[in-house]
């Protein structure tokens, strides 16, 4: 029963990733022969493997800037998503006013909106003639920066897209903290920040890790948001991959970048798996 | 309707019996903290949400109806619906809308057929390598899509899938597998085995147990998975573009062209059209998505 999806993943993801690894190491035969026919600036290994493609790509200063931009944007976006979704989820956990119900509805809006549209909406909102500049102009801040086509806009877009998932995960985590625990802490005189730090935070670590890792992996490989809202250069590696493949006709170089992103994503994924396995072990040892 | 409600109460009672803590939290009341800092947090959160999340969408809406709109005015000085007319009159755009509605349902159903049995197996049988397989499905997310599509093209050329309907379906399908496996797995796992065993004891066969007990209880989770898969397929642009061109240009693929080549207002109109199905579907599933179905799916057990 498990076979069909595993087979689909193996044939259409596992196999291509395998051939891609071989291709980046200079293997141009077999499944790579079609793409090798049309590729420019290819590094071919005649015996064994060659790391020439990796050396070329990592030696390219533009690619290195893109790599730093990717890491930087990912870190900032993850930090913003974690903080923002924590704040929203915390508010939803502690308040039962009608405002909380409005907040819970508003915070999942991006789930409803396709990413292409979100990116476009964000681009126009922060453009030279967008709302933010208009508002700043009316309050007398005439030099408010145009954020459209900057890495800041990319961060804003990525945060926008990832907040609903963050809020859903964090809310689910915080809702499993028993009311009695919060009340006990409050009754024994703990202030609200203290209650959050000593009671709610320790019990919401796993959801926080899940939000951070999934957002991180999403940002590293993202294309649509940086492509539509970001600058021409430096931009995220997802966009450069597209350029190297589509515009420069250098699929091997594009694949090398994909490998770099993949290695980073696997690093993040390991944290996710480790946190989950640890939580599962703990759950089975207590019950 | 009453059947649905009935299932709801059955599930509710189960939860209460099994996890009294969670059930008690359903009634939020007592732990709601009346405190100035909570109010301040609320004010900050609402402001950020209104400006940051809702603002761009409202701004886009205005643009779709704007004639003349000069900086630094908050509203357009003239209004028009001409952009709506020009979008509806464009044959390419109408065709891409139709295509999108053909692909997404096919992909969703195919994905359900492939993944739901697996989800059931993942939740009910503890076979060796179970966790490794669940996590390996997650690798579909970790490898950047463009890199994947570039090398997938090789496989597609060999299998003669380039520029075909099936090729596009496969490209969209691989984006849905994680949702379609993980979320239903959690949904099946949430159903106590004792319930299935009870049905067996009173003489129901395995199929009858599945369709009368297991499936109805897991249905909300499966619904969430199907809607997320539909949206994932509906929104997929990159792979569809690489594989489908020139025969199959779907709505989101068309959107890239629009953003880059058309007047801003036309792109705004098209954006609104593209968002309609998502909004309708998500508002159906909102209660279940918010109820933790999605969150449960992302914790591997």
């Amino acid at each position: 029963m498990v076979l069909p999806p595993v087979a689909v993943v193996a044939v259409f993801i596992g196999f291509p990733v395998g051939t891609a690894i071989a291709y980046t190491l200079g293997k141009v035969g077999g499944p790579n022969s079609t793409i090798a026919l049309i590729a420019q600036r290819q590094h071919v290994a005649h015996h064994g493997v060659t790391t020439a493609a990796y050396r070329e790509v990592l030696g390219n200063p533009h690619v290195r800037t893109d790599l730093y931009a990717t890491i930087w944007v990912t870190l900032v976006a993850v930090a913003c998503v974690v903080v923002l979704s924590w704040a929203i989820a915390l508010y939803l956990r502690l308040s039962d006013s009608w405002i909380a119900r409005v907040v819970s509805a508003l915070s999942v809006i991006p789930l409803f909106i396709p990413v292409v549209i979100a990116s476009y909406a964000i681009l126009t909102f922060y453009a030279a003639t967008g709302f933010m500049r208009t508002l700043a102009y009316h309050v007398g801040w005439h030099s408010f920066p145009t954020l459209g086509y900057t890495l800041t806009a990319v961060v804003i877009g990525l945060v926008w897209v990832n907040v609903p998932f963050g809020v859903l995960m964090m809310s689910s985590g915080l809702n499993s903290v028993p009311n009695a625990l919060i009340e006990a802490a409050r009754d024994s005189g703990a202030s609200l920040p203290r209650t959050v730090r000593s009671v709610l935070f320790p019990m919401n670590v796993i959801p926080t890790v899940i939000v951070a890792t999934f957002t991180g992996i999403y940002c590293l490989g993202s294309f649509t948001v940086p492509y539509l809202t970001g600058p021409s250069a430096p931009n995220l590696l997802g966009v450069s991959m597209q350029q190297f493949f589509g515009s420069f006709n250098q699929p091997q170089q594009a694949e090398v970048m994909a490998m770099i992103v993949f290695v980073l994503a696997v690093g993040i994924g390991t944290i996710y798996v480790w946190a989950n396995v640890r939580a599962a072990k703990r759950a089975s040892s207590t019950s | 309707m009453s059947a649905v409600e009935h299932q709801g109460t059955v599930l509710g009672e189960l939860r209460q019996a099994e996890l009294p803590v969670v059930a008690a939290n359903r009634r939020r009341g007592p732990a709601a903290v009346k405190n100035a800092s909570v109010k301040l947090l609320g004010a900050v959160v609402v402001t950020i949400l209104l400006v940051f999340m809702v603002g761009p969408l409202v701004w886009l809406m205005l643009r779709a109806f704007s004639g003349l709109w000069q900086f630094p005015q908050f509203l357009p000085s003239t209004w028009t619906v001409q952009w709506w007319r020009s979008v509806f009159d464009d044959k390419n755009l109408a065709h891409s809308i139709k295509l999108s509605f053909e692909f997404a349902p096919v992909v969703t159903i195919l994905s359900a057929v492939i993944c739901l049995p697996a989800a059931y197996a993942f939740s009910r049988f503890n076979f060796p390598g179970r966790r490794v397989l669940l996590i390996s499905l997650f690798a579909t997310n970790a490898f950047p899509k463009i890199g994947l599509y570039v090398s997938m093209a090789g496989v597609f050329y060999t299998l003669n899938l380039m520029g075909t309907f099936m090729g596009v379906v496969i490209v969209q399908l691989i984006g849905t597998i994680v949702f379609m496996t993980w979320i239903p797995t959690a949904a099946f796992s949430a159903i106590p085995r004792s319930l299935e065993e009870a049905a067996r004891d009173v003489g129901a066969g395995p199929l009858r147990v599945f369709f009368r007990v297991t499936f109805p209880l897991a249905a909300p989770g499966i619904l969430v998975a199907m809607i997320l898969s539909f949206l994932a397929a509906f929104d997929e642009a990159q792979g569809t573009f690489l594989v489908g061109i020139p025969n199959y240009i779907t709505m989101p693929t068309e959107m890239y062209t629009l953003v880059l080549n058309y007047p801003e207002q036309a792109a705004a109109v098209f954006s609104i059209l593209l968002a309609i199905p998502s909004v309708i579907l998500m508002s159906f599933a909102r209660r279940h998505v918010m109820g933790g179905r999605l969150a449960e799916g992302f914790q591997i057990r």
Side-chain angles (χ1 to χ4, degrees), chain B residues 134-219:
Chain B
L134 261 180
I135 292 168
S136 73
L137 291 180
F138 166 70
T140 55
N141 276 17
F143 199 81
K145 286 283 181 305
I146 274 284
L148 183 64
Y149 297 145
V150 170
S151 92
M152 224 165 66
V155 181
F156 274 48
Y157 276 119
T158 321
L159 299 174
N160 272 325
L161 287 168
M162 266 330 205
T164 64
F165 189 86
M166 206 51 216
V168 175
V169 167
I170 291 173
V171 143
Q172 297 186 352
L173 177 74
I174 59 173
T176 66
I177 282 179
V178 172
F179 298 131
M180 224 21 146
T181 317
W182 282 15
I183 299 171
T185 299
F188 285 128
S189 297
I191 304 166
R193 274 173 205 227
S194 55
L195 207 65
E196 290 174 324
E197 280 155 15
R200 288 271 181 90
D201 289 347
V202 293
L207 278 180
R208 198 173 145 90
V209 170
F210 181 80
F211 284 107
R212 298 298 294 273
V213 179
T214 316
F215 186 77
L217 287 175

Side-chain angles (χ1 to χ4, degrees), chain A residues 52-115:
Chain A
Y54 285 89
R55 269 182 277 128
E56 186 211 319
V57 169
L58 287 171
N60 182 333
H62 298 293
V63 175
R64 276 218 303 274
T65 339
D66 286 351
L67 176 62
Y68 299 142
T70 308
I71 294 173
W72 181 237
V73 164
T74 302
L75 288 176
V76 177
V78 167
C80 292
V81 168
V82 167
V83 169
L84 197 55
S85 47
W86 243 104
I88 296 171
L90 184 64
Y91 177 65
L92 294 179
R93 179 72 183 85
L94 295 178
S95 171
D96 59 353
S97 63
W98 63 271
I99 301 172
R101 281 191 289 279
V102 174
V103 166
S104 102
L106 287 184
S107 60
V108 293
I109 282 180
L111 273 183
F112 296 60
I113 308 294
V115 182

Side-chain angles (χ1 to χ4, degrees), chain B residues 16 48 54-55 103 126 181 246 275:
Chain B
Q16 246 161 8
I48 292 178
V54 184
F103 278 116
N126 203 356
T181 317

